[in-house]
Amino acid sequence: MIKIEHLVKSYGANTAVDDISFEVARGEIVGLLGPNGAGKSTTMNILAGYLSSTAGRVTVDGLNVLDEPLEVKRRIGYLPEQPPLYLDMTVEEYLIFVYNLKGCTLNRTKHLAEICEVVKLTDVYHRLIKNLSKGFRQRVGIAQALIGNPPVIIFDEPTVGLDPKQIIEVRNLIRTLGRDHTVILSTHILQEVQAVCDRIIIINKGKIVADELTENINRVAANTCRYQLKICGPQREVLAMLRDRADVAYAEVLAARDGDAYIYHVESQRGVDIRKSLFFAFSAKGWPIVGMETLGLNLEDIFISVVDKTNAEGDPKKTAKSRRQRTNTAEKDIAQSILDATAAKQEQIAPMEGDE
């Protein structure tokens, strides 16, 4: 459905998007992540036809964005971070305005009623937009993106400013839309990506540094053996004992205490379950383990490690600093495997016709 090939966008000497290529299949929900200034919004604006590219090619449903911009725009529904609303209009007036602007040929009354039912705007259909809450305004923005039933929908930070209940409702809506549409979601809320997206693409410094299925990342993260322990015993000796064990990859003592127990963060070697052996080892020392919680990695740990690694490339000082700040091994290992797999994918992408 969407194909981006060797896309480049430069502003003078600054390259915002630096030779990126990826495809999005019909019915796929893709999360586009990256730090501020990474090139996410520029990529989405080029895809939506708002900006032109310096080089490369973007096609939607087989149509080139530069050659057939109007046809491409008819196939895209776009919700920017700030929904383009006219506050002095009612919801009905605004949606009719957008319907006419898009040149939609579907039965207007039926089509708008169906959209309002999906995004739950029926009860406020005749109210002024300026009198609606932030959540309902966001729904109106989503509704305008759905007019014309476009096969591709782009959401830029769709849950910013919403309360927890509204966030859950919008996430459920995006999942529902993913059944019949191709969806690209840009957000800084990483839990949102885990909950909604089929695939994650991370852009940093204008380049794709990660491209992986969310299911694969979640599975690897869930299998990581990381624990939080509460142990009654002398802090230095307990920590030294943990760090001396061959089956422990990482251990640190946390600032928090629980009575006479210190709290430790411990990570085992990959694939090793250390719970029973730790219990017997500390029991023999007379240092009881009074609490043990199994922790998993989340997408935020992996995202930070991916960005840290790509920021540190080619800069020994940054690499050394990163190692001092983040000594845990699991997220580094996962991040490195994602980086390596993505680099291999990018190398296999063939040049466009006419490229040397």
Side-chain angles (χ1 to χ4, degrees):
M1 176 55 72
I2 298 172
K3 188 172 185 180
I4 293 178
E5 302 174 87
H6 301 284
L7 184 66
V8 176
K9 178 61 178 179
S10 299
Y11 298 95
N14 179 43
T15 301
V17 177
D18 189 3
D19 191 21
I20 68 170
S21 300
F22 64 91
E23 296 184 33
V24 183
R26 189 182 301 273
E28 190 175 20
I29 304 177
V30 173
L32 197 59
L33 304 179
N36 290 330
K40 304 186 303 299
S41 294
T42 300
T43 300
M44 289 189 297
N45 284 331
I46 292 172
L47 176 59
Y50 182 71
L51 288 176
S52 61
S53 60
T54 303
R57 180 167 57 207
V58 178
T59 57
V60 177
D61 201 15
L63 301 173
N64 190 302
V65 171
L66 291 179
D67 295 340
E68 301 179 85
L70 293 180
E71 287 300 319
V72 170
K73 289 176 182 177
R74 289 191 179 97
R75 288 164 170 78
I76 293 176
Y78 182 37
L79 174 66
E81 185 174 349
Q82 297 295 329
L85 306 177
Y86 290 100
L87 302 184
D88 289 330
M89 288 183 175
T90 65
V91 174
E92 177 185 21
E93 291 169 343
Y94 176 71
L95 294 183
I96 290 174
F97 168 73
V98 175
Y99 174 95
N100 292 332
L101 195 64
K102 289 186 174 184
C104 186
T105 58
L106 298 171
N107 181 282
R108 191 182 74 185
T109 302
K110 181 180 178 182
H111 182 51
L112 296 184
E114 288 174 347
I115 291 174
C116 289
E117 182 67 27
V118 169
V119 300
K120 295 181 172 58
L121 282 174
T122 305
D123 291 342
V124 298
Y125 191 56
H126 299 292
R127 291 182 57 184
L128 287 173
I129 295 174
K130 68 180 179 182
N131 294 332
L132 299 180
S133 67
K134 169 71 174 177
F136 275 112
R137 291 186 188 185
Q138 199 75 355
R139 290 173 187 271
V140 176
I142 294 173
Q144 65 81 26
L146 298 181
I147 290 176
N149 197 26
V152 176
I153 302 174
I154 302 173
F155 292 123
D156 191 359
E157 302 286 352
T159 60
V160 169
L162 303 187
D163 64 40
K165 182 175 182 296
Q166 293 167 339
I167 288 174
I168 292 172
E169 291 173 347
V170 171
R171 288 178 184 174
N172 290 337
L173 173 60
I174 293 173
R175 277 195 292 266
T176 301
L177 293 173
R179 298 171 189 166
D180 303 309
H181 302 78
T182 298
V183 180
I184 293 182
L185 169 67
S186 175
T187 178
H188 286 96
I189 305 173
L190 302 184
Q191 294 86 348
E192 194 162 274
V193 174
Q194 281 182 298
V196 172
C197 297
D198 303 314
R199 182 167 142 228
I200 298 168
I201 295 175
I202 300 177
I203 297 178
N204 191 31
K205 296 181 177 179
K207 291 183 175 292
I208 291 178
V209 296
D211 184 352
E212 188 57 85
L213 295 176
T214 313
E215 178 184 2
N216 293 344
I217 297 175
N218 288 338
R219 183 173 60 250
V220 173
N223 290 334
T224 300
C225 294
R226 182 173 283 183
Y227 308 93
Q228 184 169 288
L229 306 176
K230 295 179 184 179
I231 304 174
C232 297
Q235 176 190 313
R236 290 186 181 180
E237 294 177 47
V238 169
L239 185 60
M241 182 174 171
L242 287 170
R243 288 177 172 173
D244 287 342
R245 292 177 60 94
D247 54 3
V248 171
Y250 171 80
E252 68 172 337
V253 61
L254 304 181
R257 291 184 62 178
D258 185 3
D260 62 343
Y262 289 92
I263 300 177
Y264 301 84
H265 185 80
V266 179
E267 181 183 316
S268 72
Q269 296 291 352
R270 186 69 63 85
V272 179
D273 190 337
I274 61 174
R275 290 174 293 180
K276 289 183 180 179
S277 62
L278 282 181
F279 174 82
F280 289 117
F282 282 100
S283 177
K285 285 281 191 178
W287 301 337
I289 298 176
V290 296
M292 180 181 293
E293 179 183 359
T294 302
L295 307 174
L297 285 176
N298 57 40
L299 187 59
E300 184 174 352
D301 296 318
I302 299 168
F303 171 80
I304 291 172
S305 192
V306 165
V307 173
D308 282 349
K309 282 178 176 289
T310 53
N311 284 340
E313 286 179 359
D315 190 333
K317 293 182 180 178
K318 287 186 178 180
T319 302
K321 183 179 180 181
S322 177
R323 287 174 181 163
R324 288 196 298 270
Q325 289 179 338
R326 298 188 64 81
T327 54
N328 293 5
T329 61
E331 68 265 24
K332 287 185 177 182
D333 291 343
I334 296 171
Q336 190 60 57
S337 65
I338 293 173
L339 288 169
D340 292 342
T342 302
K345 287 181 187 176
Q346 293 293 303
E347 288 178 0
Q348 293 173 0
I349 296 173
M352 296 188 305
E353 287 185 24
D355 287 353
E356 296 182 358

